[in-house]
Amino acid sequence: MNDLDTFVGLLAPEGQALLAELRDHDPSDELAAATRLRRTHPAALVSAALGQARLRQRAVAKFGADAWRMYFTPNGVEQSTRATAAAHRAARLAALGVRTLADLCCGIGGDAIALARAGIRVLAVDRDPLACAAARANAEALGLAEWIEVRCADVTEVDTAGYDAVFVDPARRSKARGGRIFDPEAYSPPLSWAVEAARKAPVAALKIAPGVPHEALPEDAETEWISDGGDVKEAVVWFGAAGDGADRITSGGRRATLLPAGDSLLGAGLPDPEPGPVGDWLYEPDGAVIRAHLVADVAQQLDGRLIDPTIAYITADRLTATPYATAYAITDVLPFHVKKLKALLRERGVGIAVIKKRGSAVEPEELRKKLKLGGGRASCTIFLTRVAGAPTMLLGHPATDPVTPGR
């Protein structure tokens, strides 16, 4: 029995009963569970159900409670868009007037689900029969089958004329290449093909790796970097002249969007601010802001400056609220010196230290071992960085703590 036949078996009553029984399955008891279940069920079906239970547990981080009703493949869990990012993109497409969309390289249908929930009818296409079977099952399980048509085909041969928009999520992992693919032309399909397909559509969005070099980005598109909970998850290249206001696609634009709140910053093409002395406050920009090269835009909002021309830390003399950076009250600016730092922390009774680095060769965990922090109750944030080219330690506390700067 091949993988597809086994998967179809999971959709039958016997497979459904097994999945229900494994809903709260403990992976550490898998051998015992497999032995017990194989007494009354086919071995292949038991293995498939146990595998699906594992995938659902992993998928909860991306899909929340929906994961327990959904169906996954190993690649589908790894490569699918997390639900928060998919919902954000679907909402923007809906706001742009999109009502029908061709979802190319749909995988297990994570984006198609979000698009359908936003009121968009979706043609979901993938060349992997098992992924297509999972996408169909997911549409059915979530009550969206009338909104999602799944087609097993080569996306390069699909006619997308007549659709309001195209979304392409090329495969960026390869067993043959040993994992992640960093060359956009090695995506499947290549980024160049996806760009040309996008240019033929009224509106298009291409999901790519967030580490893509800016020089590889098409100049006639807007690129949006998306973080979720502070972690950069993806970049999206947008094409089209649709929309107005905040949802408008800006040709050549660079945007940073922070989930789950949804704050979105469109760059103004500002030059980097001049560096200057460390002030009372230090701001650590969100990773999406840094990847989008919008540190200058945030610095302007904060009336701030860089601490070093090559370091993405902003400093300012007063505290200004912003969703695009985390603020810290700075208490000390010191040349890097382990013994002096250790003595200072002991004197202040610091037992808890968060160590961050940017532009420093020192590894935080190695420094932590050398500091040998005691059992003090005080806490401190230590920044290992450079100020005006010199290795420097900045000590402080998050702005949310009841601490004011003072040096």
Side-chain angles (χ1 to χ4, degrees):
M1 183 177 291
N2 61 36
D3 289 345
L4 184 56
D5 289 337
T6 304
F7 179 84
V8 172
L10 290 176
L11 305 180
E14 186 177 10
Q16 292 293 291
L18 275 171
L19 289 174
E21 187 171 349
L22 293 169
R23 168 68 167 76
D24 298 316
H25 167 64
D26 183 350
S28 65
D29 295 332
E30 186 162 306
L31 181 59
T35 301
R36 173 175 54 82
L37 293 171
R38 283 171 181 164
R39 294 174 187 148
T40 53
H41 302 282
L45 188 61
V46 170
S47 295
L50 284 166
Q52 194 61 224
R54 289 194 302 270
L55 293 174
R56 284 178 168 182
Q57 289 174 345
R58 289 170 54 194
V60 168
K62 284 188 174 183
F63 292 94
D66 280 344
W68 299 111
R69 295 187 288 162
M70 293 175 66
Y71 298 86
F72 300 95
T73 66
N75 284 341
V77 172
E78 293 292 336
Q79 299 186 30
S80 57
T81 305
R82 65 176 46 222
T84 48
H88 160 73
R89 178 163 44 251
R92 188 177 184 191
L93 284 162
L96 291 171
V98 172
R99 296 296 176 263
T100 61
L101 177 144
D103 178 2
L104 307 182
C105 308
C106 69
I108 55 92
D111 276 283
I113 289 166
L115 291 160
R117 284 174 168 169
I120 298 172
R121 294 196 175 275
V122 183
L123 170 65
V125 184
D126 203 286
R127 67 181 180 183
D128 181 354
L130 185 57
C132 289
R136 288 192 190 95
N138 288 333
E140 184 69 35
L142 298 175
L144 300 168
E146 293 184 1
W147 289 84
I148 301 172
E149 174 194 346
V150 180
R151 185 182 301 175
C152 193
D154 185 333
V155 298
T156 64
E157 299 175 359
V158 174
D159 182 7
T160 60
Y163 289 89
D164 296 337
V166 168
F167 172 64
V168 190
D169 183 5
R172 294 178 298 283
R173 291 177 181 270
S174 168
K175 291 183 179 179
R177 293 173 176 265
R180 292 182 183 275
I181 298 172
F182 297 98
D183 177 8
E185 284 308 295
Y187 291 174
S188 181
L191 181 60
S192 57
W193 178 88
V195 167
E196 289 309 308
R199 286 177 173 147
K200 297 174 183 176
V203 175
L206 313 180
K207 178 182 168 184
I208 58 176
V212 64
H214 278 232
E215 55 268 23
L217 298 171
E219 295 182 359
D220 58 337
E222 174 191 302
T223 305
E224 176 185 30
W225 281 262
I226 299 173
S227 68
D228 193 350
D231 296 327
V232 184
K233 295 300 182 183
E234 62 183 59
V236 183
V237 183
W238 292 86
F239 291 85
D244 52 23
D247 292 309
R248 183 173 63 88
I249 297 173
T250 304
S251 180
R254 301 290 183 264
R255 182 186 297 270
T257 298
L258 282 54
L259 302 178
D263 296 290
S264 195
L265 176 65
L266 180 64
L270 301 177
D272 289 338
E274 291 296 321
V278 178
D280 287 339
W281 302 94
L282 186 78
Y283 294 85
E284 182 181 26
D286 184 271
V289 169
I290 295 173
R291 289 290 180 91
H293 295 181
L294 301 184
V295 174
D297 297 76
V298 176
Q300 184 183 67
Q301 291 182 0
L302 301 172
D303 191 22
R305 54 196 177 270
L306 299 180
I307 64 170
D308 185 278
T310 62
I311 304 296
Y313 282 138
I314 301 168
T315 188
D317 300 318
R318 60 186 176 87
L319 179 62
T320 303
T322 177
Y324 302 111
T326 302
Y328 295 85
I330 297 301
T331 57
D332 301 89
V333 180
L334 305 167
F336 180 77
H337 195 287
V338 176
K339 288 185 177 180
K340 289 183 179 179
L341 176 61
K342 183 177 179 180
L344 181 60
L345 296 180
R346 186 186 302 114
E347 176 187 329
R348 295 179 180 176
V350 172
I352 303 172
V354 176
I355 304 175
K356 296 173 172 284
K357 63 170 281 184
R358 185 164 293 164
S360 172
V362 180
E363 291 300 328
E365 288 310 309
E366 289 299 316
L367 176 61
R368 188 182 301 280
K369 292 177 183 178
K370 293 178 181 179
L371 293 177
K372 298 179 181 178
L373 297 174
R377 295 185 177 182
S379 62
C380 179
T381 302
I382 303 167
F383 296 89
L384 307 176
T385 186
R386 292 195 305 272
V387 174
T392 303
M393 306 179 298
L394 307 180
L395 278 59
H397 304 270
T400 54
D401 288 357
V403 177
T404 56
R407 287 184 276 127

